[in-house]
């Protein structure tokens, strides 16, 4: 079985500027690329799971999202970061685009995207991590049986730690995750 780092996108990997859908508004959070490099060296699958309700809301198209995703994958490859999969949910129950106006099992806090990845990649969920900047990310991880749910504060304007959370760990940024895993799991980097 494989171990994975499931990552939300907006607020976890890139600065959340509300409905980010083009390259001009996409900015990686400081040191997250370095963290992804180390996590790959630690033999984790890197899987992005992201709600993209802006598609259902008519704020941008599915094609806009796919073009930005293609650019992001290309950019990360320049740093030798391979993203194993990207799952996205274009749905929202209050959407205005008929095709995507629905309640679904993939929109976090539902675990659909994580469970699909588990099956596709033979993921050991107990030894895996869900990293995100919202309680919905934590709930999705918990529902999918993820062993460690990590809430990052990088997605919030105030960057304040919440007083309450169902998260296993609360950290400032994805950038700190590799060192925290090494300390807790005594994992060495090759």
């Amino acid at each position: 079985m494989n171990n994975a780092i499931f990552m939300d996108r907006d607020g976890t990997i890139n600065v959340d500027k509300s409905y980010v859908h083009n390259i001009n508004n996409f900015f990686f959070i400081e040191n997250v690329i370095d963290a992804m490099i180390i996590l790959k060296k630690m033999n984790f699958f890197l899987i992005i799971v992201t709600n993209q309700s802006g598609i259902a809301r008519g704020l941008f198209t599915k094609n806009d999202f796919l073009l930005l995703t293609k650019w992001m994958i290309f950019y990360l490859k320049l740093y030798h970061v391979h993203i194993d999969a990207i799952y996205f949910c274009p749905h929202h129950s209050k959407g205005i685009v008929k095709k995507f106006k629905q309640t679904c099992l993939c929109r976090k806090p539902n675990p659909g995207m994580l469970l699909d990845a588990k099956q596709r990649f033979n993921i050991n969920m107990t030894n895996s991590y869900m990293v995100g900047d919202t309680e919905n990310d934590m709930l999705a991880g918990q529902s999918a049986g993820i062993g460690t749910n990590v809430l990052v504060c990088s997605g919030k304007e105030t960057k304040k730690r919440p007083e309450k959370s169902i998260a296993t760990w609360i950290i400032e940024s994805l950038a700190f995750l590799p060192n925290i895993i090494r300390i807790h799991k005594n994992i060495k980097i090759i």
Side-chain angles (χ1 to χ4, degrees), residues 31-92:
N31 297 319
V32 298
I33 295 175
D34 294 333
M36 287 190 257
I37 291 168
I38 296 167
L39 292 166
K40 285 305 284 185
K41 288 180 180 177
M42 295 168 81
N43 292 318
F44 284 103
F45 275 59
L46 297 182
I47 301 171
I48 296 172
V49 288
T50 178
N51 288 346
Q52 292 295 322
S53 70
I55 297 170
R57 296 173 193 271
L59 300 173
F60 55 93
T61 66
K62 182 178 174 182
N63 193 53
D64 291 333
F65 170 79
L66 295 173
L67 286 172
L68 176 58
T69 300
K70 189 175 183 176
W71 172 85
M72 181 185 70
I73 290 168
F74 171 78
Y75 189 86
L76 289 170
K77 281 184 180 178
L78 295 175
Y79 292 89
H80 307 288
V81 174
H82 172 72
I83 300 297
D84 294 284
I86 298 175
Y87 291 84
F88 71 100
C89 173
H91 309 118
H92 197 280

Side-chain angles (χ1 to χ4, degrees), residues 135 138 149-151 165-170:
E135 284 297 309
M138 302 302 98
N149 294 289
V150 183
L151 183 68
S165 176
I166 62 164
T168 313
W169 299 337
I170 301 173

